[in-house]
Amino acid sequence: MDPQSIRNQFLNDFGSSTKDVARCIRCGFCNSACPTSNVTSAFKDSRTSRGRVILLQSIMENAGNLDPYSSEFKDLIDLCYSCRRCISACPAGIPIPDLMSHARYAYLKHTGHSNLTLGHRIYSQYGKFDQLGSTFAPFSNWMLKRKIFRQFMQYATHIDSRARLPDFHRETFESWFKKQPTSNGNKKIVYFVDSFANYNEPSIGKLTTKLLQHVGYEVIVPPQRESGMPAIEYGMLDEARKLAEYNFKQLKPFAQNGFRIVCSSPAATFLLKSGYATILDEKFRDISDSVIDLAELLLEEYNHGNLEFTRKTPEPVQYHYCCLSKALSLGPITSKLLDAAGCVQTQIEECCGGAGVWGTFKENYAMSSEIAAKLAQRVTKDQTLLTESETCRLQIEGHLNVPVRFPLELIADRAEIKTMS
Amino acid sequence: MSPRLQVVPMIMQYSKFNNDDRVELEKIVGKDNLSIEEEELLIYAVDAFPSEWVKPDIVVWPENAEQVSQVIRYAHRRHLPVVARGAGSGLSGNAVPIHAGIVVSFRRMNKIIQILEKDMQVVVQPGMIYDELNSKLSTYKLFFPPNPGSSSVCTIGGMVANNASGMGAVKYGVTRDYVLKLEVVLANGEIIRTGSNAIKSSTGYDLVRLFVGSEGTLGVITEITLRLRIVPSTMKTAIAYFDSVSATTDAVSEIMRSGLSPAALEFLDHETISAVNRAENLGLRDKPAMLLAEFHGDEETATNGLNAAMEICRKHGAVDIHIAKDDVERKKLWAGRKGAYPALVRSTPNMIIGDIVVPISRITEAITQAYAITKRYGVKVACFGHSGDGNIHPNIMTDHADKDLWERAVKANQEIVAYAIKLGGVASGEHGIGLEKKQFMQLEHGNSLAVMKSIKTLLDPTNILNPGKFFDID
């Protein structure tokens, strides 16, 4: 194909995102918010957020000779890890991470999935692999702690042998939940658990259930698959759409009947609330208004007098305001909830560099560490460190060697709600 | 391809860049500090101004002044154009390499060299980002005041080269007022140091002030010594709404003549207020004009200043005044003003950002003319700006994809600028000349332009430094 046809094909697959690319005024404000645009190697402008958008503009305006299907271009696009911090910095409000997902989609459509590493393919359907890991737990956990296995795994999947990965649990949240007697709350709520709280840390799912029951809800857990953030990030939009379709089909009847859908993971909240609709298909917006984050729901219940904090001693905490919580503007909500729980907070705005699973790839590990090191300068080790994101917690614990808790754990402690075994 | 403001360089015979040049430059900066890759060069082909794309032949990232000097010495010997570049956030095409050649990016020279706390001065490399500098200076309760709108990304080198400023200029002045000393690489590669750490001087020509605002056409700045100010202990802010633009500007004029020293006097017209309200629910009142005033100092001075200014606003018919009770409210008031630019950008596919300055007694006339001119061309304009120093941004809504609309917007902009110059004003208060405002240089400077050209020819006889900017050399 001649260069012009190549560009036309790329732009065709890139779709309506071209309108957003055209709106970029190249002010570069996004660079100030973008974690990877502020690492040492980002002195090259091609490795910055604005650089990536300018390259897309060059394709659209037929300037220069950039091959949109070159690995060099793809490597630069892959420096965006969808933290979404750039969107609030952008005067035009351009959803830059979504442009990158669509650019990867166009790239994959032309080059095929064989260009993805095994690690990308595993993460893109992490629900299935989490299920597998849980089935073979604790053996799978034992394997993942063997250095030799991790080195082999790094070779095969590109997942860095040093990256901290979550454990698997033989008893999943789902299997535990099925054994529970039906609670008799005076109001009903749907819980979208997502994969992590199901397979990797069922205690989160259990504690969420307990908190919801404590404030008077009967909890419904419909069939569901993982929310699918990695597939969206990698540009595997057709695969992501299948996950979204499944979850949408399960959740829509509840939304239509006035049920609210609560999520304990910021990534799930983000996708169900807006991500599916803005990135994949507008029809997914039909459930958006029903989706609520756990922190928001608990604050609401606290304001209605349904949640009381019995432990009164003030406790100093550091709240890491993770990227997706920021995208959802959850910070002030969590902050109010922690205030109500008697926590004296310091907010840490810096990104941890984990970015879901981006930081676990060997190609990204050093950069991820550099970003985490900036966060480390803000962390006071003698205070409880909190974050809402499961993967931020893994990243911070792995790189900073400090324990991290979820706000919901502290909320439960302060309300003296015990985790069910 | 979208219509863009055309870059029409005069025919200039520069040497053709070749692989030997790359090898020689690699010897100077090292292989990791240069690139001829397409994906790199494309980014340096444009800045924040909608010009045509002109790729440089090579981009280099030197790490010290000596490397800059050697690069320029080489370029001089080979007759290759050199364009210095900070963040590339300029709005006038100042950093677009329209004759290709070498882009010298300062992204690796981005450090504070020395903080002279007792003298309230700082020595920095040109690639230092403005907000980062002030963040580091805050430990010493010091700051560098000009505060341009692009503060989160713009570099000190870019600010000095453009003589940038922002919302605080009415009290604190502009970048030029703070530059004490410069290290500059001349067109032949020679490194000079000009200026001193003394606050005043009556010795010789003021080369520092010559290089400030010269947009890399006279020399390449490699080190900057800035004087600083003490961070004020108190900031008091209020907004006042008016029933007309003229009532607002009359109030501004009286505030400035009253001996008060506002730290900001920001004006928003009705079109801008409406755009802010459409974009974000900040609760601005739907009035013909709004003025935000801020005073700095100790509690008493700031409070008294603000109250006196608001009294003047009332006298001129301010219909609603809101004084911030605390810092949270103050930030809310500023959110309306700071939301102006993003709101306008979101409201239109593209926007031509004006930057005229007129004497404060002529602001009303300049704005009234901007409305009349844009009406005649059938385009929409929204004005906001730093009314305390007469700097108004008449922003014309347009669309690159609509050739006719774009051309009408360009023409309207030309007439607005020409009118401002006629009123005793200038084409640009803080964005610089670059490519876009070259067309106004003759009109604004008359026969003094020939003197400027002589200076350029003296310092850069072979015209290798950012050629094609400011003016064309015959």
Side-chain angles (χ1 to χ4, degrees):
Chain A
M1 274 204 292
D2 63 282
Q4 187 60 52
S5 305
I6 288 174
R7 282 158 188 246
N8 289 345
Q9 186 184 333
F10 177 84
L11 292 173
N12 189 43
D13 292 333
F14 189 59
S16 59
S17 296
T18 49
K19 284 182 195 158
D20 284 325
V21 175
R23 287 200 299 126
C24 171
I25 53 170
R26 305 194 291 250
C27 63
F29 289 8
C30 51
N31 286 355
S32 65
C34 169
T36 61
S37 299
N38 288 285
V39 297
T40 317
S41 58
F43 69 86
K44 294 187 173 183
D45 276 57
S46 61
R47 300 176 71 86
T48 65
S49 176
R50 177 177 70 164
R52 294 185 275 276
V53 182
I54 291 179
L55 292 179
L56 288 169
Q57 283 188 334
S58 81
I59 296 168
M60 276 176 58
E61 297 194 10
N62 213 11
N65 302 302
L66 184 73
D67 176 2
Y69 299 127
S70 66
S71 58
E72 289 82 6
F73 176 62
K74 173 70 164 38
D75 287 347
L76 296 173
I77 292 290
D78 283 348
L79 289 171
C80 167
Y81 56 53
S82 299
C83 69
R84 309 188 78 79
R85 288 170 183 251
C86 52
I87 302 174
S88 50
C90 173
I94 298 169
I96 300 170
D98 302 346
L99 304 185
M100 301 305 138
S101 287
H102 285 281
R104 291 180 196 116
Y105 174 73
Y107 177 88
L108 287 180
K109 207 155 178 199
H110 180 77
T111 60
H113 285 29
S114 58
N115 274 319
L116 290 169
T117 67
L118 180 59
H120 285 98
R121 278 180 268 176
I122 289 173
Y123 282 143
S124 69
Q125 37 188 327
Y126 60 94
K128 283 183 189 166
F129 283 89
D130 279 345
Q131 193 177 12
L132 196 68
S134 292
T135 307
F136 291 102
F139 175 70
S140 46
N141 297 328
W142 181 83
M143 281 292 281
L144 284 171
K145 285 183 175 61
R146 302 277 77 75
K147 202 174 173 183
I148 188 87
F149 178 75
R150 288 299 300 269
Q151 279 166 348
F152 166 74
M153 191 171 139
Q154 177 174 310
Y155 172 76
T157 65
H158 289 226
I159 296 169
D160 199 284
S161 60
R162 294 163 293 177
R164 186 170 180 141
L165 299 176
D167 285 339
F168 297 104
H169 285 255
R170 176 69 68 92
E171 187 191 53
T172 63
F173 167 79
E174 201 182 352
S175 55
W176 169 84
F177 186 78
K178 278 179 186 159
K179 289 184 221 154
Q180 302 307 304
T182 312
S183 62
N184 291 317
N186 49 14
K187 37 195 184 176
K188 292 181 180 179
I189 196 156
V190 174
Y191 176 30
F192 186 82
V193 189
D194 213 346
S195 197
F196 192 91
N198 190 30
Y199 297 109
N200 303 118
E201 211 159 332
S203 61
I204 301 173
K206 294 175 190 177
L207 195 51
T208 302
T209 306
K210 184 74 180 171
L211 273 162
L212 292 170
Q213 289 171 345
H214 179 79
V215 295
Y217 286 101
E218 180 187 331
V219 180
I220 301 164
V221 180
Q224 52 193 271
R225 294 184 64 189
E226 69 268 32
S227 55
M229 185 64 103
I232 289 177
E233 272 180 43
Y234 307 153
M236 300 168 76
L237 301 185
D238 296 332
E239 290 79 354
R241 199 170 285 113
K242 281 180 197 158
L243 292 172
E245 289 281 3
Y246 182 87
N247 291 328
F248 180 70
K249 195 176 152 196
Q250 297 298 330
L251 298 173
K252 193 180 172 188
F254 291 104
Q256 280 174 331
N257 285 308
F259 286 78
R260 291 211 287 182
I261 303 157
V262 67
C263 305
S264 53
S265 153
T269 313
F270 166 72
L271 286 175
L272 296 183
K273 214 169 177 53
S274 66
Y276 283 168
T278 51
I279 306 166
L280 300 173
D281 194 323
E282 268 303 312
K283 74 172 181 186
F284 296 126
R285 211 171 287 284
D286 285 356
I287 59 167
S288 299
D289 288 346
S290 307
V291 178
I292 186 166
D293 189 83
L294 181 65
E296 197 174 351
L297 185 83
L298 292 177
L299 182 64
E300 204 177 282
E301 294 299 335
Y302 171 79
N303 288 336
H304 292 156
N306 298 329
L307 179 64
E308 198 186 334
F309 295 103
T310 42
R311 196 179 290 171
K312 304 281 187 193
T313 338
E315 181 173 350
V317 297
Q318 291 186 295
Y319 167 55
H320 168 244
Y321 194 8
C322 74
C323 299
L324 284 177
S325 292
K326 215 178 246 287
L328 290 160
S329 303
L330 280 179
I333 293 164
T334 303
S335 219
K336 277 183 194 161
L337 191 61
L338 291 171
D339 268 348
C343 300
V344 183
Q345 308 156 59
T346 317
Q347 197 158 300
I348 300 177
E349 302 279 339
E350 281 79 359
C351 176
C352 69
V357 290
W358 181 90
T360 65
F361 282 100
K362 66 175 184 181
E363 293 82 0
N364 305 331
Y365 192 82
M367 207 182 301
S368 173
S369 301
E370 189 179 338
I371 296 167
K374 290 183 190 173
L375 173 80
Q377 291 171 5
R378 297 288 319 279
V379 172
T380 311
K381 293 205 172 181
D382 57 357
Q383 284 183 11
T384 304
L385 182 58
L386 302 171
T387 188
E388 278 139 345
S389 158
E390 310 93 325
T391 50
C392 289
R393 191 172 89 166
L394 287 171
Q395 166 83 358
I396 297 170
E397 287 183 342
H399 284 263
L400 274 62
N401 201 23
V402 291
V404 185
R405 301 189 78 196
F406 294 114
L408 86 102
E409 293 178 296
L410 195 69
I411 295 299
D413 276 359
R414 308 283 299 176
E416 301 197 272
I417 298 165
K418 287 192 175 59
T419 317
M420 285 173 282
S421 57
Chain B
M1 186 179 159
S2 314
R4 296 281 190 180
L5 281 191
Q6 298 273 307
V7 175
V8 189
M10 61 180 293
I11 297 163
M12 187 74 66
Q13 293 300 321
Y14 290 104
S15 303
K16 194 167 166 49
F17 187 87
N18 59 38
N19 193 51
D20 289 345
D21 295 323
R22 185 194 62 77
V23 171
E24 289 304 315
L25 290 170
E26 189 176 311
K27 284 181 195 163
I28 298 168
V29 296
K31 70 176 168 51
D32 293 335
N33 285 344
L34 59 77
S35 177
I36 53 164
E37 303 300 327
E38 185 73 3
E39 60 271 14
E40 207 65 54
L41 300 184
L42 275 166
I43 293 161
Y44 295 89
V46 285
D47 61 10
F49 169 69
S51 66
E52 286 180 345
W53 299 69
V54 189
K55 283 184 296 178
D57 294 304
I58 192 165
V59 54
V60 297
W61 295 276
E63 295 188 50
N64 52 54
E66 186 50 38
Q67 288 183 354
V68 177
S69 161
Q70 286 185 42
V71 167
I72 294 177
R73 185 167 291 139
Y74 181 78
H76 183 251
R77 197 166 70 234
R78 283 275 296 125
H79 199 224
L80 294 166
V82 177
V83 179
R85 180 167 167 132
S89 55
L91 294 167
S92 303
N94 327 55
V96 179
I98 61 166
H99 293 284
I102 305 166
V103 162
V104 178
S105 168
F106 282 99
R107 300 223 353 146
R108 298 211 87 160
M109 289 177 65
N110 60 354
K111 295 166 190 68
I112 293 178
I113 296 168
Q114 197 180 8
I115 295 174
L116 304 161
E117 188 184 357
K118 287 184 180 170
D119 292 322
M120 298 198 295
Q121 292 175 19
V122 66
V123 185
V124 290
Q125 290 185 315
M128 181 90 214
I129 290 172
Y130 177 85
D131 276 355
E132 284 178 19
L133 173 65
N134 273 344
S135 164
K136 289 187 170 130
L137 291 173
S138 65
T139 318
Y140 304 89
K141 293 198 171 10
L142 293 170
F143 79 123
F144 172 44
N147 194 20
S150 56
S151 65
S152 64
V153 289
C154 71
T155 62
I156 304 302
M159 287 179 70
V160 172
N162 284 291
N163 188 24
S165 59
M167 300 181 204
V170 62
K171 178 180 178 74
Y172 296 105
V174 300
T175 299
R176 184 171 271 134
D177 302 320
Y178 291 87
V179 184
L180 289 174
K181 195 160 80 170
L182 291 173
E183 180 185 75
V184 183
V185 179
L186 299 179
N188 61 2
E190 186 186 348
I191 301 175
I192 63 160
R193 285 180 163 268
T194 181
S196 72
N197 295 85
I199 297 296
K200 56 192 263 191
S201 160
S202 61
T203 59
Y205 297 130
D206 191 344
L207 297 185
V208 170
R209 289 174 76 87
L210 177 65
F211 282 113
V212 176
S214 66
E215 298 185 20
T217 60
L218 301 180
V220 173
I221 296 160
T222 48
E223 188 184 294
I224 302 144
T225 302
L226 298 166
R227 63 189 296 197
L228 304 168
R229 299 286 288 260
I230 300 285
V231 177
S233 61
T234 307
M235 299 178 186
K236 293 284 179 187
T237 311
I239 52 176
Y241 293 93
F242 292 84
D243 276 332
S244 69
V245 170
S246 60
T248 321
T249 52
D250 286 347
V252 167
S253 188
E254 189 171 336
I255 291 169
M256 295 309 293
R257 281 185 289 111
S258 67
L260 295 170
S261 177
L265 274 182
E266 293 293 309
F267 159 83
L268 270 69
D269 74 353
H270 183 252
E271 194 63 47
T272 311
I273 292 171
S274 303
V276 173
N277 280 339
R278 278 197 303 273
E280 280 186 81
N281 184 22
L282 293 171
L284 299 186
R285 288 197 58 189
D286 187 26
K287 288 285 172 188
M290 178 191 122
L291 187 69
L292 181 147
E294 180 161 289
F295 283 76
H296 294 174
D298 57 30
E299 182 73 27
E300 192 185 346
T301 318
T303 306
N304 291 346
L306 188 71
N307 289 341
M310 289 305 106
E311 201 46 54
I312 293 170
C313 287
R314 272 188 206 99
K315 190 178 131 193
H316 287 275
V319 287
D320 187 10
I321 290 176
H322 187 94
I323 298 176
K325 290 186 193 72
D326 52 30
D327 209 44
V328 177
E329 276 197 21
R330 181 181 157 262
K331 281 179 182 157
K332 270 190 192 163
L333 297 188
W334 269 109
R337 165 60 187 92
K338 289 185 175 171
Y341 177 60
L344 291 172
V345 168
R346 282 168 207 226
S347 72
T348 177
N350 303 102
M351 187 165 89
I352 293 181
I353 304 163
D355 185 32
I356 56 170
V357 190
V358 293
I360 51 172
S361 65
R362 315 303 289 271
I363 296 176
T364 308
E365 197 177 345
I367 293 172
T368 309
Q369 271 302 314
Y371 293 148
I373 292 165
T374 47
K375 192 175 175 190
R376 185 152 37 82
Y377 281 101
V379 287
K380 214 157 73 168
V381 69
C383 297
F384 69 84
H386 323 303
S387 51
D389 51 34
N391 188 185
I392 299 294
H393 301 297
N395 301 291
I396 304 173
M397 311 300 137
T398 183
D399 185 354
H400 283 149
D402 182 338
K403 198 175 174 208
D404 175 57
L405 181 64
W406 175 256
E407 281 172 3
R408 280 186 280 130
V410 169
K411 283 180 185 157
N413 179 51
Q414 286 168 339
E415 281 195 32
I416 291 168
V417 176
Y419 200 88
I421 293 171
K422 195 174 133 193
L423 292 175
V426 297
S428 178
E430 49 195 26
H431 299 165
I433 296 299
L435 293 169
E436 195 224 350
K437 297 186 175 69
K438 242 169 98 170
Q439 56 187 318
F440 305 113
M441 287 293 274
Q442 183 66 52
L443 182 67
E444 185 178 322
H445 295 288
N447 60 2
S448 71
L449 192 65
V451 179
M452 289 192 196
K453 288 186 180 182
S454 301
I455 294 170
K456 165 73 176 173
T457 311
L458 177 73
L459 285 170
D460 181 20
T462 54
N463 194 22
I464 60 163
L465 297 179
N466 205 5
K469 308 296 164 57
F470 270 36
F471 36 62
D472 292 320
I473 298 292
D474 304 327

